[in-house]
């Protein structure tokens, strides 16, 4: 999916026989739908109007966030950090011995 610098391959503009584009697009569609549902729950769906699935030349699924406002990117980053912090806190609490 990425080159040695971690850059995503180009979008598939022309399809090549033998590459599983549908599989990659289907995976991207499921992921985009899941993300859209979570953004809707958070009230951020209007901030990501360009959210859509796609596929690259190698058949890898892609999820485009579209062009977003800097504030929307900041909100998404803060939401991810908060979620990861809560997840880490839950893991640490589960590792503590009972009664400590």
């Amino acid at each position: 999916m990425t080159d040695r610098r971690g850059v995503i391959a180009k979008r598939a503009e022309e399809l090549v026989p033998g590459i599983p584009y549908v599989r990659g697009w289907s995976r991207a569609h499921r992921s985009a739908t899941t993300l859209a549902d979570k953004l809707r729950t958070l009230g951020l769906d209007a901030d990501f109007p360009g959210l859509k699935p796609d596929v690259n030349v190698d058949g890898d699924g892609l999820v485009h966030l579209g062009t977003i406002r800097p504030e929307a990117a900041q909100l998404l980053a803060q939401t991810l950090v908060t979620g990861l912090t809560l997840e880490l806190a839950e893991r640490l609490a589960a590792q503590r011995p009972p009664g400590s």
Side-chain angles (χ1 to χ4, degrees):
M1 172 132 171
T2 59
D3 65 17
R4 63 184 171 74
R5 294 176 303 163
V7 178
I8 296 178
K10 290 182 181 179
R11 298 182 59 242
E13 298 290 338
E14 295 182 25
L15 304 183
V16 176
I19 295 184
Y21 296 109
V22 173
R23 185 180 312 138
W25 187 89
S26 294
R27 190 168 173 215
H29 182 265
R30 286 190 302 274
S31 297
T33 299
T34 299
L35 180 56
D37 290 344
K38 301 300 181 191
L39 290 171
R40 194 174 303 106
T41 299
L42 295 168
L44 298 176
D45 52 321
D47 289 305
F48 294 86
L51 180 67
K52 67 177 184 172
D54 202 352
V55 66
N56 70 13
V57 293
D58 298 321
D60 299 316
L62 305 172
V63 176
H64 290 276
L65 297 179
T67 303
I68 59 173
R69 297 176 305 113
E71 295 83 5
Q74 185 68 32
L75 283 169
L76 181 58
Q78 289 171 345
T79 301
L80 291 171
V81 168
T82 300
L84 291 170
T85 301
L86 291 172
E87 185 177 315
L88 180 59
E90 288 173 1
R91 285 185 190 176
L92 291 173
Q95 292 176 353
R96 285 192 202 125
S100 62

